């Protein structure tokens, strides 16, 4: 095969390669804490035959309003789970996200060649990867991509397909509060069309081939029908306006919610993953494209016949307005970077075409030749990305707790702790932290409801503030335990801010430790529950043996054991907190038998060295600490500890 044939083949398979990357990254084991309360809500709606207007999943705020706009999503999710379990949910989510990327790429290819369209879309996929979770985004992302596709291709048939936006909006408003982004896209394009036809704007900003008088008329009708469609939800006008209320109350600027990572601002330097780094560069690059397109379109007329489809806009005032809205929202909270990427990919692609169209012919020819060489390189990179994703090497390298495949990422959920509590009929009411709450709404361990879960639209600022104070202040927590008549405590222990409370409960005779594993720890109020505690104590050794079996069972030889090492690290840290030092050392050393990234190995060896030093095993401690120093030579704590041990 000659070089020209290779270039042509690479260009042909390039779009499919990008879609394959999206499919691989989105096909990952169920790992999101909130998926379970969506399932629980769907189960409640199906069983009761109605959509609740007040909280039904917790005992703490049953009087609080619950504007559950995602009720249709919850019901469909529950139906999927009933048919195919977690695997069905994973596959459905992967399908939704992959379709969204495919639609974005289709729009990009309307005006750009395969190489720039694929590059821009692939960049967006790496941003989106953080939001490939089993939540309503798996519906909102493809719906936004479809909305943009319908809007930008309206000129092909004088807007005859724009009627589809209204039924689309009916589905969207009953599936996710992000329907407001769809309305923003429709509204932004409508405003842009009205401006460019009636205001003195540069000739190059006008898209008369796309927006004829007939197309404009159909757009205005479709926009009005979509606005009316937002009222077709169980909460009527309250539901239609709810996203605005939610956005004003819950975002990264509210100090109360700073403890929740997804509400942090994406430029805050909090847990900067590869996805966030990709977003930061993508954000500025797409802004640059939009600005350059606006200047290029205003400065020179389009070249006749240069664009691939004159009925599709290049630079468009309305789309620029939509981009500005999405960019602003993405700055407010990390959770918004996904919806920004879905909108920015097609809008930036169209704008980029306006820039390319106005380049000199020789420059465009040179770029095309450069694209010939770039196409096979990008295809190879996509193959590498798919391969590293399937083997979990991508997740290991990016230091995130995810795994490729189907089923459940069990280390994220108190599955076995909930089973233990249910089988031993531990007494209610149950106190749980926010992380454990999602699964406990679904499981049988919290009869009467949970203390808190991830529905922060239900747990208002006052309640959430009190919850956070109790989690960090044992005295405040004790007051809450009395106020709510707590008899059982289930804590997800991976996060360090739970450890102080665990230590206090462990030393408090009013509470008895009855269970722990690699995910959760369970306490029961001592007074009045002696018989239950006695049964649990007799049974716990068998359950702990099951924990050990899970942590020593074989792992897939072809995949990086992300979940296993995370489970061992969490378990060892807990054993250390509850004073089981020898077991903690053994667990850390078991963890070190796996191939860890340098930062994690250094952290694990440092912790092991500290525990060994406390046990008087100085030489063993120094061995681990010296290796930790080699892996992290700038860590002053490690160097200081070695010095203190005389090493």
């Amino acid at each position: 095969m000659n070089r020209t044939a290779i270039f042509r083949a690479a260009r042909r398979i390039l779009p499919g390669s990008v879609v394959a990357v999206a499919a691989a990254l989105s096909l990952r084991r169920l790992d999101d804490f909130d998926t379970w309360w969506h399932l629980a809500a769907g189960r409640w709606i199906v069983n009761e035959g109605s959509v609740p207007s007040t909280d039904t999943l917790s005992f703490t705020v049953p009087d609080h309003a619950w504007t559950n706009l995602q009720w249709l999503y919850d019901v469909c999710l529950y139906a999927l789970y009933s048919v195919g379990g977690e695997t069905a949910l994973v596959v459905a989510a992967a399908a939704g996200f992959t379709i969204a990327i495919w639609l974005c790429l289709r729009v990009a290819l309307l005006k750009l060649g395969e190489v720039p369209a694929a590059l821009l879309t692939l960049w967006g996929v790496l941003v989106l990867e953080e939001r490939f979770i089993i939540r309503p985004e798996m519906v909102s992302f493809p719906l936004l991509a479809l909305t943009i596709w319908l809007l930008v291709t309206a000129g092909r048939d004088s807007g005859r397909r724009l009627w589809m936006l209204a039924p689309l909006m009916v589905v969207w408003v009953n599936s996710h509060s992000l329907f407001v982004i769809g309305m923003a896209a429709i509204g932004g394009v409508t405003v842009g069309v009205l401006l460019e036809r009636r205001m003195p704007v540069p000739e190059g900003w006008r898209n008369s081939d796309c927006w004829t008088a007939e197309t404009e008329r159909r757009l205005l009708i479709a926009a009005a029908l979509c606005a009316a469609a937002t009222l077709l939800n169980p909460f009527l006008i309250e539901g239609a306006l709810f996203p605005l209320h939610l956005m004003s109350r819950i975002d990264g600027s509210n100090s109360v919610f700073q403890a929740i990572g997804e509400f942090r601002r994406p430029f805050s330097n909090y847990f900067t993953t590869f996805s966030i780094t990709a977003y930061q560069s993508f954000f500025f690059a797409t802004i640059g494209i939009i600005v350059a397109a606006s200047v290029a379109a205003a400065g020179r007329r389009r070249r006749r016949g240069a664009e691939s489809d004159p009925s599709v806009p290049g630079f468009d005032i309305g789309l620029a307005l939509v981009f500005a809205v999405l960019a602003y929202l993405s700055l407010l909270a990390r959770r918004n970077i996904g919806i920004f990427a879905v909108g920015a990919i097609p809008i930036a692609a169209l704008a980029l075409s306006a820039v390319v169209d106005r380049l000199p012919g020789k420059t465009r020819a040179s770029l095309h030749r450069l694209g010939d060489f770039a196409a096979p390189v990008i295809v190879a990179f996509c193959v590498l990305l798919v391969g590293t994703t399937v083997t979990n090497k991508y997740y290991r390298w990016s230091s995130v707790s995810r795994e490729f495949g189907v089923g459940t990422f069990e280390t994220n959920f108190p599955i076995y702790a909930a089973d233990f509590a249910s089988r031993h009929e531990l007494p209610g009411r149950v106190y749980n932290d926010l992380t454990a709450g999602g699964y406990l709404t679904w499981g049988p361990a919290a009869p009467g409801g949970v203390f808190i879960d991830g529905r922060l639209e239900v747990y208002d600022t006052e309640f959430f503030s009190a919850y956070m104070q109790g989690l960090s202040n044992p005295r405040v927590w004790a007051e809450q335990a009395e106020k709510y008549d707590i008899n059982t405590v289930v804590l997800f222990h991976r996060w360090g801010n739970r450890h102080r409370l665990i230590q206090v409960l462990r030393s408090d005779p009013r509470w008895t430790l009855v269970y722990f594993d690699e995910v959760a720890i369970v306490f029961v109020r001592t007074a009045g529950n002696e018989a239950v505690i006695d049964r649990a104590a007799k049974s716990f050794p068998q359950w702990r043996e099951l924990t050990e079996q899970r942590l020593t069972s074989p792992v897939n030889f072809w995949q990086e054991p992300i979940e296993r090492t995370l489970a061992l690290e969490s378990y060892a840290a807990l054993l250390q907190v509850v004073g089981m030092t020898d077991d903690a050392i053994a667990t850390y050393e078991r963890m070190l038998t796996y191939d860890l990234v340098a930062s994690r190995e250094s952290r694990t060896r440092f912790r092991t060295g500290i525990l060994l030093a406390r046990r008087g095993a100085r030489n063993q401690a120094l061995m681990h600490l010296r290796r930790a120093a080699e892996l992290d030579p700038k860590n002053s704590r490690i160097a200081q500890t070695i010095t203190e041990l005389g090493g």
Side-chain angles (χ1 to χ4, degrees):
M1 182 181 292
N2 59 35
R3 189 172 66 179
T4 302
I6 293 174
F7 291 159
R8 288 176 179 173
R11 284 183 178 273
R12 283 197 301 269
I13 66 175
L14 188 52
S17 300
V18 173
V19 174
V21 171
L25 284 170
S26 59
L27 188 71
R28 69 189 211 204
R29 295 168 65 192
L30 193 167
D31 56 16
D32 189 70
F33 307 114
D34 285 352
T35 301
W36 300 102
W37 71 252
H38 282 291
L39 283 169
R43 178 178 59 190
W44 193 96
I45 294 168
V46 169
N47 291 341
E48 299 297 326
S50 64
V51 178
S53 58
T54 56
D55 181 33
T56 60
L57 301 182
S58 74
F59 65 84
T60 46
V61 291
D63 58 328
H64 282 200
W66 183 13
T67 307
N68 186 11
L69 281 180
Q70 63 271 352
W71 71 271
L72 181 60
Y73 169 80
D74 294 346
V75 168
C76 292
L77 197 73
Y78 176 63
L80 272 173
Y81 185 88
S82 300
V83 172
E86 294 93 336
T87 296
L89 303 187
V90 170
V91 172
F97 293 126
T98 304
I99 289 170
I101 294 303
W102 175 73
L103 286 168
C104 289
L105 185 56
R106 278 199 64 182
V107 175
L109 288 169
L110 291 173
K111 306 288 280 188
L112 286 178
E114 296 92 343
V115 173
L119 268 175
L120 191 61
T121 306
L122 181 60
W123 199 347
V125 169
L126 296 177
V127 175
L128 278 163
E129 181 262 318
E130 179 164 303
R131 301 304 298 178
F132 284 159
I133 50 183
I134 303 177
R135 287 199 203 173
E137 282 99 321
M138 60 192 266
V139 175
S140 284
F141 288 178
L143 288 181
L144 176 61
L146 180 58
T147 297
I148 293 176
W149 180 76
L150 288 170
L151 290 169
V152 301
T153 60
R156 288 179 162 184
D157 60 358
S158 298
R160 289 184 177 86
R161 287 176 297 176
L162 290 175
W163 66 267
M164 297 170 61
L165 291 170
L168 181 152
M169 193 56 61
V170 173
V171 174
W172 202 346
V173 73
N174 290 286
S175 299
H176 197 195
S177 59
L178 279 182
F179 78 88
V180 71
I181 300 298
M183 285 304 304
I186 296 167
V189 170
T190 302
V191 170
V193 170
L194 295 175
L195 285 176
E196 73 175 40
R197 290 176 65 86
R198 292 166 176 80
M199 298 293 290
V201 298
E203 181 63 26
W205 289 10
R206 301 184 188 277
N207 290 287
S208 56
D209 292 335
C210 310
W211 298 107
T212 62
E214 182 63 19
T215 310
E216 179 186 326
R217 183 182 68 83
R218 289 184 170 129
L219 175 64
L220 291 173
I221 293 172
L225 290 174
C226 287
T230 63
L231 299 175
L232 300 180
N233 68 84
F235 309 95
L236 303 176
I237 185 66
E238 180 185 348
L241 298 178
F242 179 71
L244 302 178
H245 167 71
L246 189 63
M247 187 174 67
S248 68
R249 191 165 62 83
I250 302 177
D251 63 48
S253 65
N254 191 324
S255 60
V256 174
F257 298 105
Q258 285 295 302
I260 301 176
E262 67 179 33
F263 289 108
R264 297 284 187 96
R265 295 181 184 272
F267 284 95
S268 66
N269 294 324
Y270 168 80
F271 189 46
T272 305
T273 62
F274 181 70
S275 178
I276 289 297
T277 302
Y279 158 79
Q280 292 170 348
S281 56
F282 184 77
F283 178 84
F284 290 114
T286 50
I287 287 177
I289 290 171
I290 299 297
V291 172
S294 68
V295 174
R300 296 182 63 182
R301 289 182 178 273
R302 289 177 290 185
R303 295 175 180 273
R304 187 180 298 275
E307 293 184 333
S308 56
D309 189 343
S311 67
V312 176
F315 174 77
D316 182 85
I317 300 174
L319 291 176
L321 291 174
V322 176
F323 175 88
V325 170
L326 293 173
Y328 170 72
L329 291 175
S330 74
L331 291 173
L332 295 181
R334 186 178 184 136
R335 66 185 302 180
N336 297 334
I337 66 171
I339 202 72
F340 165 71
V342 171
I345 291 169
I347 294 173
L350 297 176
L352 183 59
S353 73
V355 176
V356 174
D357 179 51
R358 288 161 175 79
L359 294 175
K362 289 184 178 180
T363 303
R364 285 186 284 113
S366 298
L367 289 175
H368 184 79
R369 287 192 296 271
L370 181 62
D372 285 339
F373 289 96
V377 174
I378 301 170
V379 170
F381 181 67
C382 289
V383 172
L384 177 65
L385 268 178
V386 171
T388 54
T389 299
V390 169
T391 58
N392 292 331
K393 292 183 183 297
Y394 173 82
Y395 298 125
R396 176 180 180 269
W397 169 76
S398 55
S399 299
V400 292
S401 304
R402 298 167 191 148
E403 282 193 347
F404 173 85
V406 295
T408 302
F409 194 83
E410 292 187 349
T411 301
N412 275 9
F413 313 113
I415 297 172
Y416 300 101
D419 189 25
F420 181 89
S422 176
R423 288 174 182 265
H424 294 84
E425 298 180 339
L426 300 188
R429 296 175 170 176
V430 175
Y431 174 91
N432 59 271
D433 63 315
L434 180 67
T435 309
Y439 183 81
L440 294 180
T441 62
W442 173 253
V450 297
F451 187 89
I452 191 173
D453 56 58
R455 297 168 301 132
L456 297 183
E457 69 272 24
V458 174
Y459 306 98
D460 58 21
T461 303
E462 181 181 357
F463 180 88
F464 189 75
S465 298
Y467 158 75
M468 291 301 297
Q469 290 173 9
L471 203 61
S472 60
N473 188 325
R475 182 185 60 79
V476 174
W477 183 88
E479 294 173 356
Q480 293 176 354
E482 296 302 322
K483 174 182 177 181
Y484 291 105
D485 191 26
I486 300 300
N487 283 287
T488 297
V489 178
V490 180
L491 291 172
F492 181 89
H493 58 65
R494 184 188 306 166
W495 317 132
N497 62 348
R498 275 71 163 166
H499 291 175
R500 183 184 178 195
L501 179 57
I502 290 172
Q503 289 174 326
V504 169
L505 292 175
R506 181 82 171 96
S507 61
D508 189 338
R510 292 173 296 180
W511 296 92
T512 301
L513 173 62
V514 297
Y515 177 88
F516 61 84
D517 61 21
E518 70 273 31
V519 179
I521 186 167
V522 182
F523 294 90
V524 171
R525 187 183 292 273
T526 305
N529 297 307
E530 290 81 1
V532 173
I533 292 171
D534 184 59
R535 290 197 305 270
K538 292 177 180 177
S539 173
F540 177 60
Q542 298 174 350
W543 287 77
R544 190 171 179 199
E545 184 177 342
L546 293 174
T547 300
E548 293 294 328
Q549 290 175 8
R550 287 195 301 274
L551 295 177
T552 56
S553 62
V555 295
N556 291 330
F557 71 92
W558 53 275
Q559 284 188 314
E560 294 288 337
I562 305 294
E563 182 183 25
R564 175 59 55 80
T565 54
L566 180 64
L568 286 168
E569 185 176 39
S570 299
Y571 193 50
L574 176 73
L575 292 170
Q576 183 177 346
V577 168
V578 298
M580 303 177 71
T581 304
D582 291 340
D583 290 338
I585 293 171
T587 305
Y588 278 131
E589 290 181 335
R590 188 187 306 164
M591 184 180 170
L592 289 168
T593 63
Y594 294 94
D595 183 23
L596 307 176
V597 294
S599 59
R600 201 169 197 184
E601 182 181 347
S602 176
R603 182 172 66 242
T604 303
R605 289 191 180 277
F606 177 69
R607 292 173 178 174
T608 307
I610 292 293
L611 293 178
L612 285 168
R614 291 174 182 171
R615 277 285 182 261
R618 176 179 173 277
N619 291 336
Q620 287 180 273
L622 285 172
M623 179 191 71
H624 284 290
L625 291 169
R626 286 166 181 158
R627 176 57 181 160
E630 291 176 7
L631 295 167
D632 188 5
K634 295 182 180 180
N635 192 314
S636 59
R637 289 184 62 198
I638 297 174
Q640 180 181 351
T641 305
I642 292 174
T643 301
E644 290 173 353
L645 290 176

